[in-house]
Amino acid sequence: MPHIVVEYTGNLSSHIDIKGLLEQINAAVMAEKDVFPIGGIRSRAYELKDYHVADGKENDAFVHLNLKIGKGRSDEEKKRVCERLFQVLQEYFSEYASDHYLALSLELNEFQHKTYKANNIHKRFS
């Protein structure tokens, strides 16, 4: 953990480098070395082909980031990470949003129950 899932409307695909955005997202999370182990960070993106935004009369777009984490982080740590990630989104899309309609959102999901996982990637970072 964490897992970062980005959903974005298809009308953005010709305007963004989604792999570049995911790299920036991972870098932002890795900057919080004391909060998340690097070997557990996973980000992915889904382009939405079927969507309807607002009244559907404009070429509106949206990006939604879902940050999924396990239990154990303080409120301050969670706030710091969410603010850092939202800043990445805002900066990344600032030029596009200057002359297009765009909604950005970020959701934090903290698992309250045990998660089942196996990950030997951590060995590279220990």
Side-chain angles (χ1 to χ4, degrees):
M1 296 272 165
H3 289 232
I4 301 109
V5 181
V6 178
E7 297 175 318
Y8 64 98
T9 53
N11 57 348
L12 289 170
S13 61
S14 63
H15 300 279
I16 61 172
D17 168 19
I18 197 63
K19 287 186 180 186
L21 174 60
L22 294 176
E23 287 173 9
Q24 288 185 30
I25 286 169
N26 274 35
V29 175
M30 284 189 289
E32 298 292 336
K33 295 176 175 88
D34 58 327
V35 180
F36 299 110
I38 293 172
I41 301 168
R42 293 164 184 72
S43 61
R44 53 200 173 271
Y46 298 104
E47 178 182 343
L48 304 172
K49 301 285 187 194
D50 299 311
Y51 58 89
H52 192 89
V53 183
D55 61 3
K57 294 183 179 176
E58 294 289 335
N59 194 25
D60 301 330
F62 73 82
V63 178
H64 179 71
L65 188 151
N66 187 344
L67 173 62
K68 300 177 181 191
I69 64 172
K71 284 172 55 167
R73 279 79 186 184
S74 70
D75 288 342
E76 180 54 39
E77 289 169 326
K78 291 183 279 189
K79 179 181 183 224
R80 195 172 66 233
V81 170
C82 286
E83 287 176 352
R84 183 184 295 265
L85 286 171
F86 199 70
Q87 182 178 1
V88 167
L89 284 181
Q90 288 180 304
E91 289 175 5
Y92 190 87
F93 289 100
S94 65
E95 186 177 328
Y96 180 86
S98 69
D99 59 356
H100 296 85
Y101 294 112
L102 175 67
L104 300 175
S105 57
L106 183 148
E107 173 184 10
L108 172 64
N109 287 299
E110 182 176 20
F111 294 106
Q112 298 303 310
H113 303 287
K114 177 177 174 43
T115 57
Y116 299 87
K117 53 192 172 186
N119 178 355
N120 69 359
I121 299 170
H122 292 292
K123 290 179 188 178
R124 289 194 307 123
F125 299 99
S126 56

